Amino acid sequence: MTVNGRIVGFVYGRGELAELLRAELDPTAETIDLVGSDLIQWRGGGADDWSVPQDTSHGS
C-alpha cells in the first residue's frame, strides 16, 4: 500500500487497511470510508476483493 507515493506497508483485509489508513492519514478518526472515499484508488480489485493472486509464472 502506498500513501502519497510512499510505500507504508502491506494489508490483507479491510481491518488492516482501515487501521493503516488511520495511522497514516488521521489517527483521530474513528472510522475510515473504504468504499466512498476519493482518497483511495483501488487497483486490481475493490474493498471486498481480498483474494491472493496465483503465481502462474512457473511451469510444472
Side-chain angles (χ1 to χ4, degrees):
M1 181 175 122
T2 61
V3 174
N4 296 323
R6 178 176 55 92
I7 297 173
V8 295
F10 294 92
V11 296
Y12 299 97
R14 290 176 76 119
E16 289 180 350
L17 176 59
E19 184 178 321
L20 192 55
L21 285 173
R22 267 194 299 274
E24 289 293 321
L25 300 175
D26 187 358
T28 64
E30 289 187 30
T31 62
I32 300 289
D33 182 3
L34 301 179
V35 177
S37 175
D38 291 335
L39 298 174
I40 300 172
Q41 180 182 26
W42 294 99
R43 296 182 183 180
D48 293 318
D49 184 14
W50 294 96
S51 60
V52 177
Q54 297 297 316
D55 183 0
T56 59
S57 63
H58 298 96
S60 333

